[in-house]
Amino acid sequence: MLLRIDHVGIACENLEEKIAFYRAAFGVTVVSQEVNEEQGVKEAMLHVADGEGGGSYIQLLEPTGPDTPVGKFLAKRGEGLHHVAYGVTDVTKAMAAMGGAGVRLVDEHPRHGAMGTSIAFLHPKDVGGVLTELVESPAPRPEQT
Ligand code: MC0
């Protein structure tokens, strides 16, 4: 059911500073930068590699305010790994399968994620302390098939 690790989400206090660090230290490039108001984040996707199932990325996350998931995480734990995101073919089907296996779904319905993806979170308390995200990439445009 899981296609690949789509991205690792890393919480940070200052997005621009962290982008500069990752560029200099790892030579990765930013392929997308967005503000996601619903999720309360400013985020950047840094490309790591491409595979058969799609790309894999480092996602840097700066909260838009203290009363957001990443704002609360930073206050409690400081900067660091915030979540792991797995690519899936169909996020709605994956949610049903994982919900059926007894994993608490944070989201009742898929939400809008980075780069046009559909995403859903699984509760960290049911995944060994790891906030886990399911990611369905947008269908390729006809000329790309
Ligand atoms: C909270 N907890 C975590 C955690 N966040 N554990 C591991 N990893 C995390 N990232 C733990 C806390 O330490 C606490 O445990 C318990 O969960 C409850 O946390 P809380 O601080 O009281 O916060 P809640 O309950 O209000 O919310 C936790 C929850 C929330 C996971 C439901 O953060 C959430 O809805 N997250 C999903 C959305 C999200 O993270 N969005 C930002 C990324 P203790 O033991 O202290 O009780 S958006 C994104 O990434 C998009 C743009 C994308 O990928 O495209």
Side-chain angles (χ1 to χ4, degrees), residues 35-43 62-68 70-71:
V35 177
N36 188 322
E37 296 288 356
E38 184 184 36
Q39 296 288 350
V41 291
K42 289 199 282 183
E43 55 91 4
E62 178 190 316
T64 55
D67 196 19
T68 58
V70 177

Side-chain angles (χ1 to χ4, degrees), residues 7 36 39 41 43 59 61 69-70 72-73 76-77 82-83 106 113-114 117 119 121 123-125 129-131 133:
H7 66 265
N36 188 322
Q39 296 288 350
V41 291
E43 55 91 4
Q59 182 183 53
L61 300 159
V70 177
K72 285 161 76 176
F73 178 92
K76 237 182 201 176
R77 301 180 181 214
H82 179 260
H83 66 265
V106 172
T117 53
I119 62 170
F121 284 93
H123 203 285
K125 294 289 177 195
V130 180
L131 178 61
E133 181 184 335

